[in-house]
Amino acid sequence: GVTACAVVSILIVTTQRKKVDVLAAILIISALLITGKRAQTLALAAGFLVLYYVYNNNEKQKRIYRIILIGILVVVGLFVAAKFVPSLMNVITRFERETAAGDVTVGRMARFLEAWNLFKENPMWGIGWNGSLYYFEQVEEIIINVHNIYLQLLCETGIVGSLCYFTFFGYNLFWAIKLVIACGGNQLSITDTTQKAI
């Protein structure tokens, strides 16, 4: 998922796209789709939308139309490619299967609620680092995480501990968006596209 985000960001910030970059993006995104990992695929799609929208801040009128056009091309391209490689539809197949079973979260919503209840019992300090892992081992007899890092942080480190992380996340997100806006508006002189993508 992270590698897919990196290659997509290189494609967004590069004006003269190399065939090797396009091929790398296709291969890595295909690999991600074949794994059937829904969260990572949705994160890639959301990351692309945000990065493309923010990076093209100097073309306010065109960027929405381009996003729609890219979306249509990606969907059409995916359906055509899936005719030859059916496993590219694993993400969609998993969504359909879990929706038909009645639980898209595959039982994770119950863990989210348990983590929230644990947080409410110990809101200031939490239950301790990796406490949710031990809790689920005792309750469900399996070693498993909450599968929601924000709830897990709240549950395990409480308000005090999670504020450190949320502040760090927020600070980095704020500066990342400012840098992307500056790069997109050509307010920064960065010639190496790899550095721009990073």
Side-chain angles (χ1 to χ4, degrees), residues 178-196:
K178 279 189 75 91
L179 284 171
V180 169
I181 290 170
C183 287
N186 293 321
Q187 298 166 9
L188 284 180
S189 178
I190 299 176
T191 54
D192 184 6
T193 55
T194 306
Q195 286 181 340
K196 251 186 182 178

Side-chain angles (χ1 to χ4, degrees), residues 105-119:
T105 67
V106 194
R108 291 181 180 137
M109 190 56 75
R111 284 191 203 97
F112 298 167
L113 293 172
E114 284 291 325
W116 181 251
N117 289 332
L118 287 170
F119 163 69

Side-chain angles (χ1 to χ4, degrees), residues 4-41:
C5 288
V7 294
V8 167
S9 68
I10 288 171
L11 290 180
I12 290 173
V13 301
T14 305
T15 51
Q16 296 176 339
R17 290 170 186 84
K18 297 177 186 171
K19 289 179 183 175
V20 70
D21 292 337
V22 174
L23 181 62
I26 290 170
L27 289 174
I28 292 167
I29 292 168
S30 297
L32 178 62
L33 292 172
I34 289 170
T35 65
K37 293 291 189 182
R38 297 168 298 166
Q40 287 81 352
T41 304

